[in-house]
Amino acid sequence: MENIVLHVDDVHKSFGGLHALSDIDLQVAEGKTHAIIGPNGAGKSTLLNVCVGRLKPDSGAVVFDGAILTGRSPHDINQLGVARVFQTPEIFPDLTVLENVIIPALSKRDGAFALDAWKAMYAEDDLREAAETALEDVGLHGHRQQEAASLSRGDKRRLELAMCLVQKPRLLLLDEPTAGMSRLDTNRTIELLKEFKARGMTKVIIEHDMHVVFSLADRVTVLAQGRVIADGSPEEVRGDPVVQEAYLGGVHE
Ligand code: ADP
Ligand code: MG
Protein backbone atom coordinates (compact mmCIF):
# COMPACT_ATOMS: atom_id res chain seq x y z
CA MET A 1 0.00 0.00 0.00
CA GLU A 2 1.37 3.38 -1.00
CA ASN A 3 1.85 6.00 1.65
CA ILE A 4 0.68 9.37 0.33
CA VAL A 5 2.98 12.06 1.75
CA LEU A 6 1.80 15.08 -0.21
CA HIS A 7 -1.86 15.93 -0.72
CA VAL A 8 -3.03 18.87 -2.77
CA ASP A 9 -6.69 19.23 -1.97
CA ASP A 10 -9.03 21.25 -4.22
CA VAL A 11 -6.65 24.15 -4.72
CA HIS A 12 -7.75 27.27 -6.58
CA LYS A 13 -5.60 30.27 -7.46
CA SER A 14 -6.55 33.26 -9.61
CA PHE A 15 -4.53 36.24 -10.74
CA GLY A 16 -7.15 38.89 -11.32
CA GLY A 17 -9.60 37.27 -13.73
CA LEU A 18 -7.20 34.52 -14.77
CA HIS A 19 -7.85 31.10 -13.22
CA ALA A 20 -4.28 29.86 -12.99
CA LEU A 21 -5.35 26.81 -10.92
CA SER A 22 -8.87 25.34 -10.62
CA ASP A 23 -9.96 22.27 -8.60
CA ILE A 24 -6.43 20.91 -8.32
CA ASP A 25 -6.15 17.57 -6.53
CA LEU A 26 -2.87 15.72 -6.40
CA GLN A 27 -1.48 12.84 -4.35
CA VAL A 28 2.20 12.06 -4.23
CA ALA A 29 3.33 8.70 -2.84
CA GLU A 30 6.35 8.37 -0.57
CA GLY A 31 9.62 7.58 -2.32
CA LYS A 32 8.14 8.10 -5.78
CA THR A 33 8.95 10.55 -8.54
CA HIS A 34 5.80 12.38 -9.61
CA ALA A 35 6.03 14.43 -12.80
CA ILE A 36 3.81 17.40 -13.60
CA ILE A 37 3.67 18.21 -17.28
CA GLY A 38 1.57 20.46 -19.48
CA PRO A 39 1.78 23.25 -22.04
CA ASN A 40 3.23 26.67 -21.27
CA GLY A 41 1.00 28.65 -18.96
CA ALA A 42 -0.79 25.52 -17.68
CA GLY A 43 -0.21 26.51 -14.05
CA LYS A 44 2.66 24.16 -13.21
CA SER A 45 4.94 26.75 -11.58
CA THR A 46 1.97 28.31 -9.80
CA LEU A 47 1.15 24.93 -8.28
CA LEU A 48 4.72 24.44 -7.11
CA ASN A 49 4.75 27.96 -5.62
CA VAL A 50 1.55 27.18 -3.72
CA CYS A 51 3.13 23.98 -2.34
CA VAL A 52 6.26 25.75 -1.08
CA GLY A 53 4.42 28.74 0.42
CA ARG A 54 5.44 31.38 -2.11
CA LEU A 55 1.83 31.84 -3.16
CA LYS A 56 -1.26 31.53 -1.03
CA PRO A 57 -4.11 29.66 -2.72
CA ASP A 58 -7.54 31.35 -2.84
CA SER A 59 -8.98 28.11 -1.45
CA GLY A 60 -7.95 24.53 -0.85
CA ALA A 61 -5.04 23.10 1.09
CA VAL A 62 -1.67 21.43 0.75
CA VAL A 63 -0.78 18.82 3.37
CA PHE A 64 2.64 17.22 3.75
CA ASP A 65 2.98 14.23 6.03
CA GLY A 66 0.04 15.36 8.16
CA ALA A 67 1.14 19.01 8.41
CA ILE A 68 -0.97 21.66 6.69
CA LEU A 69 1.44 23.75 4.61
CA THR A 70 -1.12 26.29 3.47
CA GLY A 71 -0.59 29.54 5.37
CA ARG A 72 2.97 28.71 6.45
CA SER A 73 5.97 30.69 5.29
CA PRO A 74 8.42 29.24 2.73
CA HIS A 75 11.01 29.06 5.50
CA ASP A 76 8.72 27.06 7.81
CA ILE A 77 7.82 24.70 4.98
CA ASN A 78 11.49 24.22 4.23
CA GLN A 79 12.13 23.39 7.88
CA LEU A 80 9.51 20.61 7.62
CA GLY A 81 11.77 18.84 5.11
CA VAL A 82 10.56 20.30 1.81
CA ALA A 83 13.29 21.58 -0.53
CA ARG A 84 12.82 23.12 -3.94
CA VAL A 85 14.56 24.11 -7.13
CA PHE A 86 12.86 26.97 -8.96
CA GLN A 87 12.59 27.58 -12.68
CA THR A 88 15.10 30.43 -12.45
CA PRO A 89 18.33 29.42 -10.66
CA GLU A 90 18.61 30.94 -7.19
CA ILE A 91 22.19 30.89 -6.06
CA PHE A 92 24.43 33.45 -4.38
CA PRO A 93 26.57 34.48 -7.38
CA ASP A 94 29.30 36.32 -5.43
CA LEU A 95 29.95 33.49 -2.98
CA THR A 96 32.01 30.41 -3.69
CA VAL A 97 30.36 27.17 -4.71
CA LEU A 98 31.12 25.69 -1.28
CA GLU A 99 29.70 28.71 0.57
CA ASN A 100 26.50 28.40 -1.45
CA VAL A 101 25.99 24.91 -0.05
CA ILE A 102 26.99 25.81 3.52
CA ILE A 103 24.22 28.42 3.78
CA PRO A 104 21.30 25.97 3.39
CA ALA A 105 23.12 23.49 5.66
CA LEU A 106 23.32 26.17 8.34
CA SER A 107 19.75 27.25 7.79
CA LYS A 108 18.57 23.66 8.16
CA ARG A 109 20.45 23.25 11.42
CA ASP A 110 19.77 26.59 13.07
CA GLY A 111 16.59 27.78 11.39
CA ALA A 112 16.74 31.54 11.08
CA PHE A 113 20.25 32.93 11.29
CA ALA A 114 21.93 36.27 10.74
CA LEU A 115 23.71 36.39 7.41
CA ASP A 116 26.62 38.31 8.94
CA ALA A 117 27.17 35.51 11.44
CA TRP A 118 27.32 32.70 8.95
CA LYS A 119 30.88 33.24 7.79
CA ALA A 120 32.21 32.74 11.30
CA MET A 121 30.16 29.61 11.74
CA TYR A 122 30.95 28.01 8.46
CA ALA A 123 34.42 27.16 9.61
CA GLU A 124 32.69 24.47 11.67
CA ASP A 125 33.81 21.13 10.38
CA ASP A 126 30.50 19.30 10.36
CA LEU A 127 28.79 21.88 8.17
CA ARG A 128 31.70 22.11 5.79
CA GLU A 129 31.92 18.34 5.53
CA ALA A 130 28.22 18.00 4.80
CA ALA A 131 28.51 20.68 2.11
CA GLU A 132 31.57 19.02 0.57
CA THR A 133 29.80 15.65 0.49
CA ALA A 134 26.81 17.20 -1.29
CA LEU A 135 29.17 18.77 -3.83
CA GLU A 136 30.86 15.41 -4.37
CA ASP A 137 27.45 13.82 -4.91
CA VAL A 138 26.59 16.23 -7.71
CA GLY A 139 30.08 16.19 -9.22
CA LEU A 140 31.05 19.77 -8.35
CA HIS A 141 33.63 19.18 -5.65
CA GLY A 142 36.46 20.24 -7.97
CA HIS A 143 34.76 23.64 -8.37
CA ARG A 144 34.17 24.29 -4.68
CA GLN A 145 36.44 27.33 -4.34
CA GLN A 146 35.19 28.96 -7.52
CA GLU A 147 32.80 31.91 -7.49
CA ALA A 148 29.33 30.54 -8.20
CA ALA A 149 28.73 33.14 -10.93
CA SER A 150 31.51 31.59 -13.00
CA LEU A 151 29.82 28.17 -13.28
CA SER A 152 28.22 27.06 -16.52
CA ARG A 153 24.44 27.02 -16.66
CA GLY A 154 24.29 23.25 -16.19
CA ASP A 155 26.69 23.42 -13.25
CA LYS A 156 24.60 26.17 -11.61
CA ARG A 157 21.61 23.86 -11.71
CA ARG A 158 23.73 21.09 -10.22
CA LEU A 159 24.82 23.50 -7.50
CA GLU A 160 21.17 24.09 -6.68
CA LEU A 161 20.69 20.34 -6.35
CA ALA A 162 23.63 20.21 -3.92
CA MET A 163 22.02 23.08 -1.97
CA CYS A 164 18.90 20.91 -1.66
CA LEU A 165 20.73 17.68 -0.99
CA VAL A 166 22.66 19.11 1.97
CA GLN A 167 19.34 19.72 3.73
CA LYS A 168 18.52 15.99 3.46
CA PRO A 169 14.98 16.82 2.38
CA ARG A 170 12.15 14.32 2.54
CA LEU A 171 10.38 15.97 -0.36
CA LEU A 172 12.10 17.69 -3.26
CA LEU A 173 10.15 19.89 -5.69
CA LEU A 174 11.88 20.73 -8.95
CA ASP A 175 10.68 23.22 -11.56
CA GLU A 176 12.20 22.32 -14.93
CA PRO A 177 15.61 21.29 -13.59
CA THR A 178 16.95 20.52 -17.06
CA ALA A 179 15.71 23.67 -18.82
CA GLY A 180 18.43 25.05 -21.08
CA MET A 181 20.78 22.12 -20.43
CA SER A 182 22.77 20.28 -23.07
CA ARG A 183 21.84 16.64 -23.66
CA LEU A 184 24.96 15.58 -21.74
CA ASP A 185 24.04 17.71 -18.70
CA THR A 186 20.43 16.53 -18.92
CA ASN A 187 21.54 12.90 -18.82
CA ARG A 188 23.83 13.60 -15.86
CA THR A 189 20.90 15.23 -14.07
CA ILE A 190 18.69 12.21 -14.78
CA GLU A 191 21.33 9.93 -13.23
CA LEU A 192 21.62 12.22 -10.22
CA LEU A 193 17.86 12.29 -9.66
CA LYS A 194 17.78 8.49 -9.93
CA GLU A 195 20.40 8.40 -7.21
CA PHE A 196 18.20 10.65 -5.01
CA LYS A 197 15.39 8.21 -5.56
CA ALA A 198 17.57 5.30 -4.50
CA ARG A 199 18.02 7.17 -1.21
CA GLY A 200 14.26 7.21 -0.73
CA MET A 201 13.61 10.87 -1.48
CA THR A 202 10.13 11.76 -2.74
CA LYS A 203 10.19 14.10 -5.72
CA VAL A 204 7.77 16.26 -7.65
CA ILE A 205 9.29 17.31 -10.94
CA ILE A 206 7.88 19.81 -13.42
CA GLU A 207 9.43 18.93 -16.73
CA HIS A 208 8.98 19.76 -20.39
CA ASP A 209 11.50 17.22 -21.67
CA MET A 210 9.63 13.95 -22.23
CA HIS A 211 12.86 12.00 -22.23
CA VAL A 212 13.42 13.15 -18.64
CA VAL A 213 9.79 12.45 -17.68
CA PHE A 214 9.83 8.92 -19.05
CA SER A 215 13.26 8.19 -17.56
CA LEU A 216 12.25 9.22 -14.06
CA ALA A 217 8.53 9.38 -13.38
CA ASP A 218 6.50 6.74 -11.58
CA ARG A 219 3.38 8.80 -12.09
CA VAL A 220 2.45 11.76 -14.26
CA THR A 221 -0.15 14.48 -13.78
CA VAL A 222 -1.00 16.62 -16.79
CA LEU A 223 -2.20 20.19 -16.36
CA ALA A 224 -3.74 22.37 -19.05
CA GLN A 225 -5.27 25.80 -18.51
CA GLY A 226 -5.11 25.39 -14.75
CA ARG A 227 -6.85 22.03 -14.57
CA VAL A 228 -5.78 18.41 -14.18
CA ILE A 229 -6.64 16.77 -17.50
CA ALA A 230 -4.93 13.42 -16.91
CA ASP A 231 -3.23 11.49 -14.14
CA GLY A 232 -1.67 8.05 -14.34
CA SER A 233 1.38 6.02 -15.20
CA PRO A 234 3.69 7.49 -17.87
CA GLU A 235 2.36 4.93 -20.38
CA GLU A 236 -1.29 5.73 -19.62
CA VAL A 237 -0.71 9.45 -19.97
CA ARG A 238 1.33 9.12 -23.15
CA GLY A 239 -1.48 7.28 -24.91
CA ASP A 240 -4.25 9.61 -23.71
CA PRO A 241 -5.88 11.49 -26.62
CA VAL A 242 -6.93 14.34 -24.31
CA VAL A 243 -3.26 14.91 -23.46
CA GLN A 244 -2.21 14.82 -27.10
CA GLU A 245 -4.94 17.33 -27.92
CA ALA A 246 -3.81 19.70 -25.14
CA TYR A 247 -0.29 19.75 -26.55
CA LEU A 248 -1.20 19.81 -30.21
CA GLY A 249 -4.03 22.27 -29.58
CA GLY A 250 -1.40 24.84 -28.66
CA VAL A 251 -2.51 26.32 -25.37
CA HIS A 252 -0.25 29.32 -24.86
CA GLU A 253 0.19 32.04 -22.27
P1 ADP B 1 3.55 27.13 -16.31
O1 ADP B 1 4.59 27.03 -15.26
O2 ADP B 1 2.72 25.90 -16.48
O3 ADP B 1 4.12 27.56 -17.64
P2 ADP B 1 2.55 29.32 -14.69
O4 ADP B 1 2.11 28.66 -13.45
O5 ADP B 1 3.84 30.05 -14.68
O6 ADP B 1 2.51 28.26 -15.90
O7 ADP B 1 1.43 30.34 -15.16
C1 ADP B 1 0.05 30.00 -15.24
C2 ADP B 1 -0.73 31.22 -15.68
O8 ADP B 1 -0.76 32.18 -14.61
C3 ADP B 1 -0.14 31.93 -16.87
O9 ADP B 1 -1.19 32.43 -17.67
C4 ADP B 1 0.67 33.05 -16.24
O10 ADP B 1 0.78 34.14 -17.13
C5 ADP B 1 -0.17 33.39 -15.03
N1 ADP B 1 0.64 33.90 -13.90
C6 ADP B 1 1.60 33.23 -13.26
N2 ADP B 1 2.10 33.94 -12.23
C7 ADP B 1 1.42 35.13 -12.25
C8 ADP B 1 1.46 36.31 -11.44
N3 ADP B 1 2.31 36.40 -10.42
N4 ADP B 1 0.60 37.31 -11.74
C9 ADP B 1 -0.25 37.21 -12.78
N5 ADP B 1 -0.36 36.13 -13.58
C10 ADP B 1 0.47 35.09 -13.32
MG1 MG C 1 6.62 27.28 -15.26
Side-chain angles (χ1 to χ4, degrees), residues 40-41 44-46 87 175-176 206:
N40 244 345
K44 305 179 298 294
S45 295
T46 303
Q87 202 164 353
D175 196 348
E176 304 206 8
I206 294 174

Short mmCIF file of all heavy atoms in Angstrom, two decimals, residues 40-41 44-46 87 175-176 206, ligand 2:
data_model
loop_
_atom_site.label_atom_id
_atom_site.label_comp_id
_atom_site.label_asym_id
_atom_site.label_seq_id
_atom_site.Cartn_x
_atom_site.Cartn_y
_atom_site.Cartn_z
N ASN A 40 2.87 25.38 -21.88
CA ASN A 40 3.23 26.67 -21.27
C ASN A 40 1.99 27.36 -20.72
O ASN A 40 0.96 27.39 -21.37
CB ASN A 40 3.79 27.58 -22.38
CG ASN A 40 5.22 27.91 -22.12
OD1 ASN A 40 5.72 27.70 -21.02
ND2 ASN A 40 5.88 28.42 -23.14
N GLY A 41 2.11 27.91 -19.52
CA GLY A 41 1.00 28.65 -18.96
C GLY A 41 -0.07 27.77 -18.32
O GLY A 41 -1.12 28.24 -17.90
N LYS A 44 1.73 25.06 -13.90
CA LYS A 44 2.66 24.16 -13.21
C LYS A 44 3.49 24.90 -12.15
O LYS A 44 3.57 24.46 -11.00
CB LYS A 44 3.60 23.49 -14.24
CG LYS A 44 2.87 22.76 -15.36
CD LYS A 44 3.83 22.13 -16.35
CE LYS A 44 4.74 23.08 -17.11
NZ LYS A 44 4.06 24.00 -18.03
N SER A 45 4.12 26.01 -12.55
CA SER A 45 4.94 26.75 -11.58
C SER A 45 4.08 27.34 -10.47
O SER A 45 4.50 27.40 -9.31
CB SER A 45 5.72 27.87 -12.28
OG SER A 45 6.65 27.33 -13.18
N THR A 46 2.88 27.77 -10.82
CA THR A 46 1.97 28.31 -9.80
C THR A 46 1.68 27.24 -8.75
O THR A 46 1.70 27.51 -7.54
CB THR A 46 0.67 28.81 -10.47
OG1 THR A 46 1.01 29.79 -11.45
CG2 THR A 46 -0.29 29.41 -9.45
N GLN A 87 12.35 27.55 -11.23
CA GLN A 87 12.59 27.58 -12.68
C GLN A 87 13.80 28.46 -13.00
O GLN A 87 14.57 28.17 -13.90
CB GLN A 87 11.33 28.11 -13.37
CG GLN A 87 11.23 27.72 -14.81
CD GLN A 87 9.82 27.90 -15.38
OE1 GLN A 87 8.87 28.20 -14.66
NE2 GLN A 87 9.69 27.71 -16.66
N ASP A 175 11.36 22.58 -10.43
CA ASP A 175 10.68 23.22 -11.56
C ASP A 175 11.62 23.28 -12.75
O ASP A 175 12.55 24.09 -12.78
CB ASP A 175 10.21 24.63 -11.17
CG ASP A 175 9.17 25.18 -12.14
OD1 ASP A 175 8.99 24.58 -13.21
OD2 ASP A 175 8.55 26.21 -11.81
N GLU A 176 11.41 22.39 -13.70
CA GLU A 176 12.20 22.32 -14.93
C GLU A 176 13.71 22.31 -14.68
O GLU A 176 14.43 23.20 -15.14
CB GLU A 176 11.81 23.46 -15.88
CG GLU A 176 10.31 23.45 -16.16
CD GLU A 176 9.93 24.09 -17.48
OE1 GLU A 176 10.84 24.42 -18.27
OE2 GLU A 176 8.74 24.24 -17.73
N ILE A 206 8.52 19.18 -12.27
CA ILE A 206 7.88 19.81 -13.42
C ILE A 206 8.88 19.71 -14.55
O ILE A 206 10.05 20.07 -14.38
CB ILE A 206 7.56 21.28 -13.13
CG1 ILE A 206 6.51 21.39 -12.03
CG2 ILE A 206 7.10 21.99 -14.41
CD1 ILE A 206 6.26 22.81 -11.58
MG MG B 2 6.62 27.28 -15.26
#
